[in-house]
Amino acid sequence: MTEENKLITERKKKLDEIKKKYKPYPNSFKKLHSTDDVTSKYCNYEKESLAEDAVNVSVSGRLLTIRNMGNSSFANLHDENGNIQIYLQKKQVGEDAYWLFNNLDLGDIVGINGKLFKTKTGELTINTETIELLSKSLRPLPEKFHGISDIEIKYRQRYLDLMVNPETKKLFKIRSKIISAIRNYFINDSYLEVETPMMHMIPGGAAAKPFITHHNSLDLDLYLRIAPELFLKRCIIGGYERVFEINRSFRNEGLSVKHNPEFTMIEFYCAYENYLYLMKLIEDLFRTLIEKLDFNSKFNYQEQEIDFKTPFLKMKFYDAIEKYAVNIDMSKINDKSYLTSYCSTQNIKTQESSSSIKMHLDIFEKLVEKKLINPTFVTHYPTEVSPLSRSFDDNEDLVERFELFIAGREIANGFSELNDPHEQSKRFRDQVESDDDEKMSYDDDFITALEYGMPPTAGAGIGIDRLIMLFTDSPSIRDVLLFPHMKPKKK
């Protein structure tokens, strides 16, 4: 029997004994105070004032330290907002209740009623009058209960990480505040929040490998959405002028510090605007988040200084390649044999069937992205790799599109939407006929919708997980997902 199994067996025996006198899993407890309420309100009280006022409190939470001293004991009780010390005397709580306490373990959830006082060292403490076991922890907590350093445990058993690591709990509260602030920003700007399907008849809205599922009643394969874009544009066609969706999307790609198969993003669309409007809005959105959430305009992300105070940089796609791609000869940028040789020397993997334009994108992703540290809008992308974007009137080979990069990662993608049904149909056909394994499908219904007329429209998506990584200085996307996808453990 392993050491852990021995401890579990001992805890189960304690539970069996407790059941002879108590019901260890009651369905409620009247919690009147949080530990944070109590400590913030009374921490500055003098001992004498607390004694005179006889402040009664009722709290509940987990026991994460226990110090037994014979006929009296101290323990620390933790709830969602913090922790507070509790004190028990056998003569105060009675023999049965003190026996119960002596059969408790770290991790047990209890309810406490009592009066506040301060110890000789000045620590705010509850003098327990009644104690109730609300739930027995049958498994021992991690040995170092003040924090979990084992990444496997942190990600696979996030509940343990939340239980014992206040910083993790704080991070996910920040995540919630960021998402709420984003939502409020768009609602205050007269955008309508909508919901679109998560199961699609065909994969669309972005170039990526989809997850496939099956509808039994219809005997039909469906695809988890890659992006909500085409449905949100249907809303614009239907007559809404400003819409957004904070959505979960799914892409059948590898796991990395910046990729998770399911992720959160916001997509938003505005009629009668173009890509220039989007860049201005996103810059304002980020500054608003910094102000509302009390972040610094200049901060370090993984030891790189990020400056949100100065205006975001703007740089054209091919200018960025010329500036950052090592020793590239721009006079040969459309020479495929030269590009093949160049990619080989730079250890850039390309497909044999790749066009010159696709190789430009490969070079950009490998050599340029990582050098874009401060917020930078890269604009004027090639049309071939932007099938849903509107081309410039004076250059059909480039589109009115941007991607925003911060700390070497793509954070947002937006463009003036292509609303010409004939051109969109041609672009879909080009995708279908290409050898790209992440190509889009031909969406016949969307073409039909476009034929009813879509006004000039601008639309963008922002990766919320990556944005939260940035604001919380988190090195991996798994740090900002409560339950990231993990490879199954080997049995």
Side-chain angles (χ1 to χ4, degrees):
M1 184 181 288
T2 65
E3 187 62 31
E4 184 181 43
N5 285 339
K6 287 179 183 177
L7 293 172
I8 292 171
T9 300
E10 288 175 10
R11 289 184 176 220
K12 286 181 177 179
K13 286 179 180 177
K14 287 183 181 179
L15 178 61
D16 290 338
E17 290 301 311
I18 290 170
K19 283 181 176 179
K20 294 175 182 178
K21 295 184 177 183
Y22 299 94
K23 290 184 177 179
Y25 297 103
N27 65 356
S28 65
F29 175 80
K30 193 70 173 176
K31 178 177 181 174
L32 300 178
H33 310 92
S34 71
T35 59
D36 185 54
D37 291 337
V38 174
T39 54
S40 61
K41 187 172 182 179
Y42 296 105
C43 66
N44 293 323
Y45 271 51
E46 298 294 332
K47 287 184 184 181
E48 295 75 15
S49 299
L50 283 175
E52 288 174 10
D53 292 350
V55 179
N56 289 292
V57 295
S58 174
V59 297
S60 57
R62 284 188 191 274
L63 298 175
L64 291 187
T65 59
I66 297 174
R67 302 180 299 284
N68 196 303
M69 297 177 293
N71 289 325
S72 64
S73 298
F74 284 96
N76 269 76
L77 181 142
H78 292 237
D79 65 6
E80 180 183 356
N81 299 294
N83 68 89
I84 193 166
Q85 182 169 260
I86 63 173
Y87 174 66
L88 291 91
Q89 278 185 305
K90 187 175 181 180
K91 63 180 181 181
Q92 172 82 8
V93 299
E95 191 168 328
D96 285 348
Y98 202 69
W99 172 88
L100 172 65
F101 179 80
N102 283 331
N103 279 279
L104 298 181
D105 294 292
L106 297 183
D108 288 353
I109 300 173
V110 299
I112 298 291
N113 290 290
K115 289 185 174 62
L116 291 177
F117 75 102
K118 282 195 171 178
T119 63
K120 291 178 182 178
T121 59
E123 183 170 356
L124 189 65
T125 306
I126 301 173
N127 187 5
T128 304
E129 295 175 347
T130 65
I131 180 169
E132 185 176 353
L133 175 62
L134 305 179
S135 184
K136 182 70 180 165
S137 175
L138 297 178
R139 288 182 175 271
L141 298 184
E143 189 174 335
K144 294 182 179 178
F145 55 83
H146 56 277
I148 295 176
S149 58
D150 189 320
I151 294 297
E152 279 284 303
I153 294 176
K154 280 176 70 74
Y155 297 155
R156 289 189 188 278
Q157 296 177 277
R158 180 69 83 185
Y159 47 89
L160 286 179
D161 188 26
L162 291 169
M163 193 185 300
V164 303
N165 191 344
E167 288 305 310
T168 300
K169 198 175 286 184
K170 180 182 176 183
L171 185 152
F172 285 104
K173 286 189 174 183
I174 292 172
R175 178 188 173 99
S176 179
K177 288 178 181 178
I178 291 172
I179 293 173
S180 294
I182 291 171
R183 174 177 277 111
N184 291 336
Y185 178 92
F186 282 94
I187 290 173
N188 291 336
D189 200 22
S190 301
Y191 278 78
L192 177 71
E193 184 171 13
V194 298
E195 296 173 295
T196 63
M198 294 178 71
M199 292 193 296
H200 294 179
M201 298 282 284
I202 59 173
K209 291 180 182 178
F211 286 97
I212 303 173
T213 186
H214 189 77
H215 191 295
N216 291 334
S217 296
L218 296 178
D219 191 21
L220 178 71
D221 282 345
L222 295 171
Y223 302 87
L224 296 183
R225 74 172 164 207
I226 295 171
E229 176 165 343
L230 300 184
F231 283 96
L232 290 171
K233 286 197 274 195
R234 286 172 170 94
C235 292
I236 297 291
I237 293 167
Y240 293 120
E241 294 184 2
R242 293 186 174 203
V243 296
F244 78 96
E245 182 175 9
I246 295 175
N247 64 85
R248 301 289 281 185
S249 290
F250 305 84
R251 297 183 184 177
N252 202 344
E253 57 193 15
L255 300 171
S256 72
V257 294
K258 60 181 181 178
H259 290 112
N260 193 68
E262 61 174 307
F263 58 95
T264 303
M265 64 175 175
I266 179 171
E267 285 206 11
F268 57 98
Y269 293 80
C270 183
Y272 311 109
E273 294 287 1
N274 64 18
Y275 79 111
L276 298 173
Y277 157 84
L278 295 174
M279 289 191 286
K280 184 179 177 182
L281 181 147
I282 289 173
E283 191 166 346
D284 182 68
L285 167 64
F286 284 17
R287 293 221 170 88
T288 301
L289 291 177
I290 287 168
E291 180 184 341
K292 295 282 186 188
L293 299 171
D294 242 2
F295 296 144
N296 291 323
S297 295
K298 279 188 177 181
F299 59 89
N300 284 337
Y301 175 75
Q302 300 298 294
E303 300 182 354
Q304 299 177 108
E305 185 178 79
I306 309 295
D307 182 4
F308 276 93
K309 208 166 190 176
T310 56
F312 290 11
L313 298 171
K314 294 182 177 67
M315 184 180 297
K316 293 180 181 179
F317 178 81
Y318 284 107
D319 290 345
I321 290 178
E322 183 174 19
K323 182 174 182 178
Y324 292 113
V326 180
N327 298 325
I328 194 164
D329 185 347
M330 294 300 288
S331 68
K332 298 179 181 178
I333 194 67
N334 292 315
D335 183 334
K336 190 171 178 181
S337 61
Y338 166 74
L339 291 172
T340 302
S341 173
Y342 178 81
C343 288
S344 177
T345 61
Q346 298 296 325
N347 295 317
I348 299 172
K349 292 181 180 179
T350 61
Q351 295 181 357
E352 193 173 330
S353 59
S354 289
S355 65
S356 297
I357 300 296
K358 290 281 177 61
M359 295 170 84
H360 298 165
L361 190 62
D362 292 334
I363 291 168
F364 179 87
E365 290 176 348
K366 179 73 174 181
L367 301 181
V368 178
E369 283 187 11
K370 62 187 177 183
K371 297 176 182 176
L372 304 175
I373 306 304
N374 277 314
T376 304
F377 288 114
V378 176
T379 65
H380 293 65
Y381 275 76
T383 302
E384 184 180 321
V385 294
S386 311
L388 298 169
S389 309
R390 183 186 187 278
S391 298
F392 284 97
D393 291 335
D394 59 354
N395 188 345
E396 291 186 355
D397 293 331
L398 300 175
V399 291
E400 298 181 1
R401 175 187 172 193
F402 67 86
E403 287 189 320
L404 173 63
F405 293 90
I406 307 175
R409 289 182 184 141
E410 178 201 343
I411 301 294
N413 178 30
F415 39 84
S416 304
E417 302 294 339
L418 178 58
N419 61 348
D420 178 345
H422 177 75
E423 175 63 18
Q424 186 63 81
S425 178
K426 177 182 177 300
R427 302 252 195 110
F428 278 157
R429 286 196 300 273
D430 290 343
Q431 285 279 306
V432 171
E433 292 168 6
S434 74
D435 294 325
D436 193 340
D437 58 356
E438 293 188 350
K439 61 189 176 185
M440 289 189 193
S441 300
Y442 189 99
D443 192 332
D444 187 64
D445 180 74
F446 180 67
I447 299 300
T448 300
L450 278 182
E451 288 173 345
Y452 283 96
M454 183 173 81
T457 299
I462 300 172
I464 288 179
D465 302 319
R466 290 186 185 178
L467 184 62
I468 293 167
M469 287 172 63
L470 189 69
F471 284 137
T472 59
D473 194 18
S474 300
S476 171
I477 194 170
R478 295 181 183 185
D479 294 321
V480 300
L481 300 175
L482 270 172
F483 305 104
H485 186 78
M486 301 284 287
K487 289 181 179 179
K489 278 185 175 181
K490 292 181 179 179
K491 293 184 179 180

